[in-house]
Amino acid sequence: MNNYDLLLNDTNCELTHHQNIANKIDHFQVIIIHDHRHNFFDYNYLINFPSENVRKKVDANRIFPRGKNETFIVRQQDYENNIDLFFKIRVDARREVLAKSTEFMVAKFFSTYEGHLAPLFVNKPTLKWEILNKLYAKYDKMVRAHTRLNDENSWNVFSTWYRTYLMNHTVSEMMKKHGYDTLNALEREILNVLFLEEMRMNFASNDSFLNKFTADVNVYIEKMLSEILAVFELEKNSMEQINELLGVGEQVSVHQPIESTAKTNNLVVMSNAIYQFITEAISNQNFVCELGQWPRATIQGARLAGSLQLLPREEDRTASRMNQLHNDAQMLSEVDVDVLDSLCHLYLAQLGDRVEIRFDDLLTIRGLKTKLGGTGRRGGYEKEQRIQVLKALSNIQSLWMELETVLVYEQGKPVNKKMQGRAFIFSNEDGSPCELNEKSLPERLYVTIGEVFEPFLQGAARQVKLLPNQAIEFNPYQRKWEKKLIRYVSWRWRTQARKASYLQPHKISTLLEKIGIQIDSQAPSRIRDRLEKALDLLEEEGVITFWQYNHWNEDGMSKKGWLRIWLDATIIIAPPDEIVSYYEPIERKKSIKTPNNFSLAQTKEEVCKNIGSVFKECRINRGLTLKQVSDELNISTSYISNIERGGSLPSQTVYKKMKDWIT
């Protein structure tokens, strides 16, 4: 029995002596600076997989291993005099506990499923890093959502237990070494100096103390994690856990609202007119930079009128900062919109007034892969990738809205309001403004939604849309057309959902304007080919069900002035069936519903019913490419491709050419 266990016996004389000495000890704080070894369990476990040493630690539920760190014992007065510094260190210590808990759960998973995973890793060694990333994200969310260490009150309870434990142990050791009479005769200040020195020596060189202390801390943390461990035991016998991790399209967030769990192929982002205006302004670089003015993009419409600025906080509004934002406005790209959509999705997924978002989640959600270090360890993301996200966050943090007119719904009635404010507000854990710079890349930030968005996230007025994952996963430079189209048509699908008018045609000139494409009268054929190619790729990827020209006559394309005809033409872009099904609950009951299955309809003219499939079969049998046939018949490659797929009806002239070629 330890001496401080005698506290349990209130009749023991030694207890009275112990309490007398303890009462003379001034309040103190224990400050621990961890030598953070990322993923103590999982990296070591995976590198040596399987590892008997780590398996024993997992079986014994050794959550918090004894690690290298620096421990400082600080008097309460000194702590309060340097509260800002010590608060940050305290927060870091809390994160270390949560990180070790997460790492333990990852190791526990590997230990439990070792028999199933080992053969898989033999055939595909990189698979363990893929599973590791997904596991860490999963258990990190679970630990932060469930553990009682996640709130300030529970942390204070843990800290109080921690200090009481240390005081009782140290007082008992001092009594054993010096005797009660000697200690009791000391002046209070001298007793406290002796106490602090004894505690420092224990942390510095007393292996017996450190081992016992670590074991007892593990018992405490194990109780705190009892809910997580119970969930793990419930899942333990289910191979669905492995199948889920090996699947595709898994979202970063585990605890997601119904919008994001309903369709794994889509993100959930805001769909209100303000958000759409912001994404288009950034994507299309619509900001105007005038001398002495902050970069500004404007909109004038019946439902939304006003401006969007890149405007820093008041204390940062200097000439050099204005010049920097002028340069940033000209460098805006799809990466900035990707980060904005990712940020919006992660915020909505957690449903809180102030949401914690891990920096790496903004990279992971976009499908970016971590690099591997020289020993095969997961090395994290490239510095250039992190800096890209940092710059995008800095731009998002500067977004300031000044809206003269915004149409909002209050109690079901439309009301025009005037608004101004930030789009998003970033802060540190202590509530102070978050400073984004390359010198200190943040591990996480705390996000609050701007007041301009609040009316669109409440109750029946809530406006969100499904955004196909490819919008943020496609390469922001090579697949820019596709990304822009996805964002625009997904917004249109949401606005059409009330009337289920998904097959409402899109005017080509409007489509190009919304995605920021300038018409080049010198080479209009390139623009047409690129648009049709982008739509073909989206159909192949399953982002859209099909696309086709509406009431189109290809013969007009051989005439002078065909560009004007083409720009005035319209295109039908059908959403995937899963998006249509998802929006069904918000359709108006009296609306005439479009068929929920947008499988390609047969041609209306019986004579053209099968020409596309027959032509394609004949072409393939002859071993010819679309380009070869296109050159032979003098019909555009994209037009033939559309007809083959059933996405377009051939004109009478084109039909005759194709039929003659077949026969």
Side-chain angles (χ1 to χ4, degrees), residues 276 280 465-468 481-496 502 504 506 511 514-515 531 535 538 543-544 547 571-576 579 583:
Q276 184 64 20
E280 288 182 10
K465 72 174 183 179
L466 290 182
L467 178 69
W481 278 64
E482 290 79 12
K483 292 166 75 72
K484 288 171 173 281
L485 283 168
I486 293 172
R487 289 194 175 96
Y488 177 67
V489 299
S490 65
W491 175 67
R492 281 294 305 274
W493 290 335
R494 176 62 179 83
T495 61
Q496 295 163 348
Y502 300 108
Q504 182 179 340
H506 302 261
L511 200 62
K514 290 297 183 180
I515 64 175
L531 176 63
L535 291 168
L538 294 183
V543 178
I544 64 177
W547 75 275
I571 293 176
I572 295 172
I573 306 174
I579 287 184
Y583 287 145

Side-chain angles (χ1 to χ4, degrees), residues 101-103 105-106 109 113 130-146 228 231-232 234-236 238 240-245 250-255 358 361 364 378:
S101 301
T102 302
E103 292 157 9
M105 296 303 297
V106 173
F109 184 97
Y113 293 111
E130 179 183 347
I131 292 179
L132 171 62
N133 275 301
K134 293 181 177 180
L135 276 174
Y136 194 90
K138 172 182 178 177
Y139 288 124
D140 180 61
K141 294 291 183 182
M142 290 179 70
V143 166
R144 292 179 184 280
H146 289 289
I228 304 296
V231 170
F232 186 91
L234 289 175
E235 297 176 341
K236 189 172 181 179
S238 174
E240 292 179 2
Q241 298 300 304
I242 294 180
N243 293 334
E244 178 186 342
L245 288 167
E250 181 185 2
Q251 303 299 326
V252 171
S253 179
V254 175
H255 303 286
R358 294 175 63 244
D361 282 354
T364 306
R378 181 185 63 177

Side-chain angles (χ1 to χ4, degrees), residues 202-250:
N202 279 335
F203 275 107
S205 58
N206 190 336
D207 286 337
S208 175
F209 161 76
L210 289 172
N211 289 335
K212 180 67 171 65
F213 174 66
T214 301
D216 289 339
V217 169
N218 270 285
V219 171
Y220 191 99
I221 296 177
E222 183 182 349
K223 292 179 181 178
M224 303 295 285
L225 291 174
S226 58
E227 294 178 3
I228 304 296
L229 292 170
V231 170
F232 186 91
E233 291 301 317
L234 289 175
E235 297 176 341
K236 189 172 181 179
N237 297 322
S238 174
M239 278 302 295
E240 292 179 2
Q241 298 300 304
I242 294 180
N243 293 334
E244 178 186 342
L245 288 167
L246 297 179
V248 296
E250 181 185 2

Side-chain angles (χ1 to χ4, degrees), residues 82-101:
N82 298 275
I83 187 66
D84 291 339
L85 170 64
F86 289 132
F87 180 82
K88 184 179 184 304
I89 297 174
R90 184 183 181 188
V91 169
D92 289 341
R94 181 194 311 188
R95 288 176 182 161
E96 185 74 11
V97 173
L98 296 178
K100 292 304 180 190
S101 301

Side-chain angles (χ1 to χ4, degrees), residues 421-458:
R422 295 279 173 206
F424 291 93
I425 301 166
F426 304 153
S427 61
N428 299 311
E429 186 166 6
D430 61 2
S432 61
C434 184
E435 300 291 341
L436 298 170
N437 58 72
E438 297 180 17
K439 295 180 180 179
S440 57
L441 292 173
E443 290 187 10
R444 64 199 74 231
L445 64 155
Y446 293 80
V447 180
T448 304
I449 206 76
E451 60 185 26
V452 294
F453 288 134
E454 289 181 0
F456 305 103
L457 293 176
Q458 307 298 326

